[in-house]
Amino acid sequence: MAASAQPRAFEKLNVEAVLAQLTMKEKINLLAALDMWHTVPVPRLGVPSIRMTDGPNGLVMSDWYGTYSASAAVKAGLDLEAPGPTVVRGSALQRAFRCKKVSIDDINARAQNVLENAPESNIDTPVIRKLLREAAATSVVLLKNEASILPLPKSLKNVAVIGPDAKAAVVSGGGSAALRCLYGISPFRAISEAAAEFGTEVTYARGANTYCFTPVFGPELRDKRGDAGVDVRFFN
């Protein structure tokens, strides 16, 4: 797991210098999440709450509620207990330290990993975008292709895109699969752009809704003026 931090001033901190100034309690507080997604800040040293995200930068974070020991987990290399508030760290880890079940080196190593995994950054270049697009495209598996309908011939004059999600760029899942992507393109837009090269006309139909629950009001609802929203009338 990796982590990111705001504000950007955190980038200027020297991790080793900050680590030397942290009290034992502050170091231990860093080793457990504050809430579902953030670490405990240290305001007096300018260390903000670090947002936890998936990443390859070296921090080891527990699965949700997957930490069952204080000293053993620290000695085994678990940097961060998640989510917060802490259950087996905090005061329990402080007692383990006083009882010499964990050493200062154990605590320092875990705290340093947390601090060194900030801030989060991204690399957005044409080369990276091309590579990611190729990786996504080659990961798609076509399970069925009746009558060899795909790929569509370039001579095709009309294409219909049907489905309520066709105009939404759904690029990630929820929870730990959530991702703030650099850009997203809906299936309808992608098909339209590709079809334009061959003079193919693309039409869209919403089709049947696939809601699991009643949705909240969205931009598809329009009031009498044609603006996004609804008109409400109350009767008593």
Side-chain angles (χ1 to χ4, degrees), residues 3-122:
S4 67
Q6 293 293 334
R8 291 182 63 83
F10 184 70
E11 296 179 37
K12 301 178 181 179
L13 292 182
N14 183 304
V15 171
E16 291 185 1
V18 171
L19 194 61
Q21 298 177 67
L22 289 170
T23 65
M24 179 53 63
K25 182 177 180 180
E26 288 169 337
K27 292 175 183 178
I28 289 175
N29 286 344
L30 277 175
L31 306 188
L34 175 68
D35 52 28
M36 295 292 285
W37 303 111
H38 301 84
T39 61
V40 178
V42 187
R44 72 177 187 88
L45 295 178
V47 178
S49 184
I50 301 171
R51 186 174 66 85
M52 301 176 291
T53 59
D54 294 341
N57 296 336
L59 183 147
V60 179
M61 182 170 70
S62 74
D63 196 359
W64 260 214
Y65 309 104
T67 309
Y68 306 114
S69 64
S71 56
V74 167
K75 294 178 76 67
L78 180 67
D79 298 314
L80 193 68
E81 174 197 354
T86 182
V87 175
V88 297
R89 294 201 165 173
S91 59
L93 189 52
Q94 291 180 46
R95 286 195 300 272
F97 174 71
R98 289 195 296 269
C99 296
K100 302 187 183 302
K101 290 187 175 182
V102 290
S103 68
I104 183 65
D105 291 339
D106 295 326
I107 300 295
N108 283 345
R110 305 287 76 77
Q112 183 170 342
N113 280 350
V114 173
L115 293 172
E116 285 184 343
N117 276 273
E120 179 184 29
S121 62
N122 56 55

Side-chain angles (χ1 to χ4, degrees), residues 190-215:
I191 293 171
S192 297
E193 290 179 356
E197 298 180 16
F198 312 109
T200 302
E201 182 182 356
V202 180
T203 56
Y204 168 77
R206 182 176 179 84
N209 292 322
T210 57
Y211 300 131
C212 181
F213 302 102
T214 302

Side-chain angles (χ1 to χ4, degrees), residues 70-228:
S71 56
V74 167
K75 294 178 76 67
L78 180 67
D79 298 314
L80 193 68
E81 174 197 354
T86 182
V87 175
V88 297
R89 294 201 165 173
S91 59
L93 189 52
Q94 291 180 46
R95 286 195 300 272
F97 174 71
R98 289 195 296 269
C99 296
K100 302 187 183 302
K101 290 187 175 182
V102 290
S103 68
I104 183 65
D105 291 339
D106 295 326
I107 300 295
N108 283 345
R110 305 287 76 77
Q112 183 170 342
N113 280 350
V114 173
L115 293 172
E116 285 184 343
N117 276 273
E120 179 184 29
S121 62
N122 56 55
I123 303 175
D124 184 19
T125 68
V127 173
I128 293 295
R129 287 197 177 197
K130 182 175 183 294
L131 176 62
L132 293 177
R133 191 193 182 289
E134 289 177 352
T138 54
S139 69
V140 176
V141 178
L142 181 62
L143 297 179
K144 196 172 185 179
N145 191 20
E146 290 185 351
S148 300
I149 193 170
L150 295 177
L152 297 176
K154 296 179 181 179
S155 59
L156 204 63
K157 298 301 182 183
N158 297 283
V159 172
V161 179
I162 303 171
D165 297 328
K167 287 191 173 182
V170 181
V171 295
S172 70
S176 296
L179 175 69
R180 295 184 299 177
C181 63
L182 296 169
Y183 74 99
I185 298 176
S186 70
F188 176 76
R189 177 183 166 187
I191 293 171
S192 297
E193 290 179 356
E197 298 180 16
F198 312 109
T200 302
E201 182 182 356
V202 180
T203 56
Y204 168 77
R206 182 176 179 84
N209 292 322
T210 57
Y211 300 131
C212 181
F213 302 102
T214 302
V216 297
F217 290 158
E220 296 152 343
L221 296 179
R222 301 284 169 170
D223 60 21
K224 291 181 179 179
R225 297 182 300 274
D227 298 327

